[in-house]
Amino acid sequence: MQLRVPPPPEPAATGSRADRRRSARPSVRTRVLSALARVRATVGSRLAPLAPYARRLKPVYPRPGRSGWRRWIPSWRQVLGAWAASIGLTGLFLVVAYAATDIPENLNTYAVQQDNVYYWSDGTPMARTGWVQRQNMPLKDIPEDVRWAVLAAENESFYSDPGVSVKGITRALWRTVGEGDTEGGSTITQQYVKNAYLNQNRTLSRKFTEAMIALKLDDRMSKDDILEGYLNTSWFGRGTYGIQRAAQAYYGKDVSKLNASEGAMLAALLKGAGLYDPTLSKANHARAVERWSWTLDRMVDIGRLSASERAKYKNFPEPLKSAPAYYTGKQSDYLVELAGQYAKKAGHISDKDFDLGGYQIYTTFDRKRENLLTTAVDKARGRARKVDPEGAKTAHFGAASVATDGRILAIYGGPDHRKQGYNDSNASTVKAGSAFLPFVYAAGLEHGVRKTRTGPVLPVTPESLYDGDNGVPVVTPEGPYWDRGGKKVAAQNDGGRSYGRISLGKALARSVNTPFMQLGMDTGLDKVRSTAVAAGLLPSTLGPRVPALSVGNSTPSAIRMASGYATFAAGGTHTEPYSVGRLTRNGSTVELTAPATNRAISHKVAEQVSQALTDSLLLSHPGVTAPGTTEGRTGSVATAGGKAGTTVEDTASWYTGTAQSVSTAVVLYRMDLTKSLEPLPLKGLVDTTRGGAPYVIWANAMGLG
């Protein structure tokens, strides 16, 4: 009997179903080889009809049927095939490169950043700020002759070329490889791309990218826009970018005032300012003259300048030996800071946008008045050093002149902005003292007084009598006013002098304090405060509503004090002080919020206050004369008047007054910034009688000295 041995059992399946499927697949190597075999078979079948031609083009070396060196020369078919292949591959490469190249979204920092230019009220440049000396100008503001001078010199076919020059690129690439001169060879479009989007590196990759972007840019931007961008971003030497700043640096005027001859000279600088600035050397001058003459002749050749016009330009337009200096420093920094802050606020401009530059800030500052004010303060500072050398080290002078229409005409912010960063003319640092009395007087004349809580409002006139004795206690309808320490509040006159019963008009003229502390209580401290604010003082600088408010516990700046007095001279109408009259960016107007105007007090009250200030000026300085003033106190209301201001603590000395529709406020105080921000006593630093140093500064600044 034969035994059957059963076959061995198949091994049990292990792993997941997915693992079993993967193990059943062919290996990667097998699949790749199989795919290549299929591709080879397919391509072979498709190319089989071309096999005879392929054999002809196949380089067989040495070539049969030839002898000697001829055996190694390819046939014309091989040369033609290689040339066609290279052209095709190059074209394919360029198409792919063009499609893959994008115009950068953002311009270079140096292509967008400009400087801001500040102008005096007469339109002349005052200062420039910013890291880059550039001011963009719209193409329409650049004379056509100047534009074509640049085009004739750099790229006469600009309006017809595709944005690149094959010949120029080839020459530039050859020079780049050969480490030669890389200037020239580029169209204006390419140069603009380099200025605005790329860098100045001399590399093949940068040159190739430049060409690709130029082609795309030429397709997307108008020629005029490209030319405008080029003229505003090119380097012209003397630290300037753009033709506007170049015109100012070389000829001291805006580009809009240049002629074709001057434009041709500036165009020469585009080949390299270091070689063509005629003021640098004799060799430079010769090169510049030759290039200038060639450019003008070229303009005639291309029909952009008539022969008769060309004949007018026989002499080379010599530029200035150096660029006019309009940089900030010392006093002008305070002007720039004040105007810049106002421009941003009134123009609704962010700090970031303003720092990018391109703004033309036409200020309200009067150059003549600014010089008078600065000179007057400098002289006073010098006298203070002689009187008290030690005390003069901590002396501060702040001053401002404001017109009745709100224009800030001049300020004195400090000796040097680089050493003292804050502006004394705009600082709310010290008390107004008796310089505040006109606002109390105006409130009383405007609103009247109440002697009882529920009684009628009684009118107040300049002839209304009050007690002018020193130390008279302040009273309310209920009795004396007590302070928190349980003491009766009383006002003090300068020098402790008593005047008896005195009219309010005379009290203001003589700067008697005690009547006005009581007048403030009778009128209402709320009305005193609101009148002062309506006239121009800031609410944040007014002290608490206590009797001391009426005798100047507020801390207005010199600008605001001058603005308040200007309200009296303006017939009771107040206009918010402003330092910028017009603002543009690259020639386009930027809308400014108009300064607010309001009726602060009636015209009659304003006249009464102004008359008292005139009386005050004539009493303290009887020899002063000014247009509109009179020797006596009768007749029409004078246009000049002013008042001194002192504080009980002797920490400030003021003089504020008006002449010819301009009010000027001057304050002198001491403060040691190395120790604290607390004002120090003047201690006879200067003579404060009759206004002292502040009056002398005021008179000189107003042309009355």
Side-chain angles (χ1 to χ4, degrees):
M1 184 176 178
Q2 188 176 5
L3 296 173
R4 293 184 177 180
V5 179
E10 294 183 4
T14 61
S16 65
R17 184 178 299 176
D19 292 335
R20 292 196 297 273
R21 283 199 301 269
R22 282 195 292 270
S23 63
R25 294 177 184 172
S27 66
V28 173
R29 180 174 180 276
T30 302
R31 294 201 303 274
V32 171
L33 291 176
S34 176
L36 289 175
R38 289 195 298 274
V39 170
R40 185 167 57 248
T42 301
V43 173
S45 62
R46 299 287 177 85
L47 297 180
L50 301 177
Y53 302 100
R55 282 194 295 273
R56 294 180 183 180
L57 295 174
K58 182 179 180 181
V60 179
Y61 294 97
R63 291 177 61 195
R66 300 288 189 275
S67 60
W69 58 270
R70 293 182 177 84
R71 294 182 301 165
W72 303 98
I73 302 300
S75 67
W76 66 270
R77 295 184 183 87
Q78 292 170 332
V79 172
L80 183 62
W83 179 79
S86 65
I87 292 297
L89 290 174
T90 301
L92 178 63
F93 173 73
L94 291 176
V95 169
V96 173
Y98 179 83
T101 301
D102 291 325
I103 299 175
E105 293 184 3
N106 299 318
L107 301 177
N108 288 337
T109 301
Y110 275 97
V112 296
Q113 192 170 9
Q114 305 173 61
D115 53 3
N116 292 323
V117 183
Y118 294 78
Y119 296 88
W120 293 102
S121 59
D122 62 3
T124 57
M126 181 181 74
R128 305 181 191 277
T129 61
W131 294 103
V132 177
Q133 295 185 47
R134 176 192 291 111
Q135 281 283 303
N136 287 345
M137 289 295 286
L139 193 65
K140 63 181 178 62
D141 292 336
I142 301 174
E144 192 170 355
D145 282 348
V146 176
R147 290 182 245 163
W148 276 103
V150 173
L151 292 174
E154 292 292 305
N155 185 189
E156 65 186 53
S157 63
F158 170 73
Y159 280 101
S160 59
D161 65 38
V164 296
S165 167
V166 176
K167 180 180 178 181
I169 291 176
T170 303
R171 184 169 64 251
L173 289 175
W174 174 259
R175 288 176 177 174
T176 300
V177 173
E179 297 296 319
D181 178 20
T182 59
E183 294 297 332
S186 297
T187 64
I188 278 179
T189 307
Q190 289 175 261
Q191 293 182 56
Y192 172 61
V193 168
K194 178 179 65 175
N195 294 340
Y197 297 107
L198 304 176
N199 53 49
Q200 308 298 317
N201 294 339
R202 289 170 36 178
T203 62
L204 292 176
S205 61
R206 199 272 295 161
K207 200 71 181 177
F208 181 76
T209 304
E210 172 192 298
M212 292 297 103
I213 295 177
L215 285 169
K216 280 199 170 182
L217 202 66
D218 191 80
D219 185 53
R220 297 184 185 180
M221 287 179 66
S222 70
K223 288 289 190 179
D224 282 350
D225 287 343
I226 293 174
L227 179 60
E228 179 181 303
Y230 170 73
L231 292 174
N232 283 319
T233 57
S234 295
W235 169 254
F236 284 87
R238 295 194 179 184
T240 63
Y241 290 87
I243 198 164
Q244 165 71 353
R245 291 291 275 110
Q248 294 167 341
Y250 288 90
Y251 290 107
K253 53 187 176 183
D254 288 346
V255 66
S256 60
K257 295 182 173 65
L258 295 182
N259 57 34
S261 177
E262 293 163 334
M265 201 294 290
L266 293 182
L269 300 171
L270 293 169
K271 281 187 68 66
L275 295 174
Y276 288 88
D277 183 343
T279 63
L280 297 181
S281 66
K282 291 183 178 179
N284 272 25
H285 193 278
R287 278 190 291 266
V289 171
E290 181 182 3
R291 183 72 175 177
W292 162 79
S293 180
W294 176 86
T295 299
L296 290 176
D297 291 340
R298 194 70 195 142
M299 290 178 69
V300 175
D301 293 342
I302 63 177
R304 293 298 172 176
L305 188 68
S306 66
S308 60
E309 186 73 12
R310 170 66 179 93
K312 295 179 182 178
Y313 303 128
K314 295 180 180 179
N315 299 322
F316 179 70
E318 298 289 349
L320 301 172
K321 291 185 178 180
S322 61
Y326 297 120
Y327 300 100
T328 58
K330 293 191 175 181
Q331 197 56 220
S332 61
D333 277 347
Y334 297 106
L335 305 179
V336 166
E337 180 183 58
L338 191 67
Q341 291 171 348
Y342 183 86
K344 287 186 286 187
K345 181 179 179 180
H348 308 285
I349 304 167
S350 67
D351 289 341
K352 179 181 178 182
D353 288 342
F354 196 75
D355 288 343
L356 287 176
Y359 291 95
Q360 297 81 45
I361 301 100
Y362 297 89
T363 74
T364 59
F365 302 128
D366 183 290
R367 186 202 295 262
K368 182 179 178 180
R369 286 187 176 275
E370 182 64 35
N371 289 337
L372 284 173
L373 182 59
T374 301
T375 301
V377 176
D378 288 343
K379 288 181 178 179
R381 193 183 292 277
R383 288 192 294 268
R385 292 194 188 100
K386 293 180 180 179
V387 173
D388 184 357
E390 198 62 32
K393 293 179 181 179
T394 56
H396 289 260
F397 294 82
S401 295
V402 178
T404 52
D405 60 4
R407 291 174 295 127
I408 302 175
L409 302 180
I411 63 169
Y412 184 89
D416 190 336
H417 190 275
R418 291 164 293 189
K419 297 178 181 178
Q420 178 184 299
Y422 77 94
N423 187 342
D424 270 323
S425 73
N426 201 31
S428 301
T429 310
V430 293
K431 294 180 179 180
S434 53
F436 186 80
L437 300 186
F439 301 102
V440 185
Y441 185 45
L445 294 172
E446 183 76 15
H447 299 286
V449 298
R450 286 180 185 272
K451 293 299 184 179
T452 62
R453 294 296 182 191
T454 59
V457 175
L458 303 176
V460 171
T461 69
E463 288 72 34
S464 296
L465 297 175
Y466 269 77
D467 193 338
D469 286 343
N470 185 64
V472 175
V474 176
V475 298
T476 68
E478 289 77 24
Y481 186 97
W482 303 86
D483 64 16
R484 293 184 178 181
K487 294 182 180 180
K488 292 180 181 179
V489 174
Q492 303 295 322
N493 294 327
D494 284 347
R497 184 177 176 183
S498 293
Y499 295 83
R501 300 288 286 178
I502 187 173
S503 70
L504 288 174
K506 289 183 178 180
L508 182 60
R510 296 174 181 273
S511 196
V512 184
N513 292 338
T514 52
F516 292 99
M517 182 176 278
Q518 186 59 54
L519 177 64
M521 298 299 292
D522 294 344
T523 300
L525 295 178
D526 57 336
K527 290 182 174 60
V528 171
R529 182 184 178 92
S530 64
T531 299
V533 171
L537 272 57
L538 295 177
S540 59
T541 64
L542 295 178
R545 282 187 289 180
V546 296
L549 173 66
S550 298
V551 289
N553 70 350
S554 57
T555 57
S557 67
I559 290 176
R560 286 291 168 172
M561 186 67 88
S563 177
Y565 275 57
T567 299
F568 305 137
T573 299
H574 170 68
T575 302
E576 276 291 287
Y578 64 98
S579 56
V580 178
R582 186 163 66 95
L583 180 65
T584 62
R585 188 166 197 240
N586 301 328
S588 300
T589 299
V590 177
E591 291 296 330
L592 293 173
T593 300
T597 301
N598 63 279
R599 168 61 65 180
I601 53 177
S602 70
H603 189 276
K604 180 180 179 180
V605 168
E607 284 186 335
Q608 291 171 331
V609 176
S610 296
Q611 183 62 60
L613 292 175
T614 298
D615 292 342
S616 177
L617 173 62
L618 294 175
L619 278 171
S620 59
H621 299 85
V624 68
T625 58
T629 60
T630 59
E631 291 296 336
R633 299 170 198 163
T634 60
S636 61
V637 176
T639 60
K643 186 183 182 313
T646 57
T647 61
V648 175
E649 303 88 351
D650 188 36
T651 54
S653 178
W654 289 82
Y655 198 89
T656 309
T658 304
Q660 295 180 295
S661 300
V662 175
S663 294
T664 296
V666 182
V667 61
L668 164 63
Y669 65 98
R670 288 181 61 227
M671 183 180 291
D672 189 346
L673 297 177
T674 63
K675 295 180 179 179
S676 73
L677 297 179
E678 287 297 319
L680 303 173
L682 291 173
K683 290 184 178 178
L685 175 66
V686 291
D687 177 23
T688 58
T689 59
R690 302 172 63 204
Y695 170 78
V696 174
I697 294 171
W698 176 85
N700 288 330
M702 302 295 274
L704 307 178

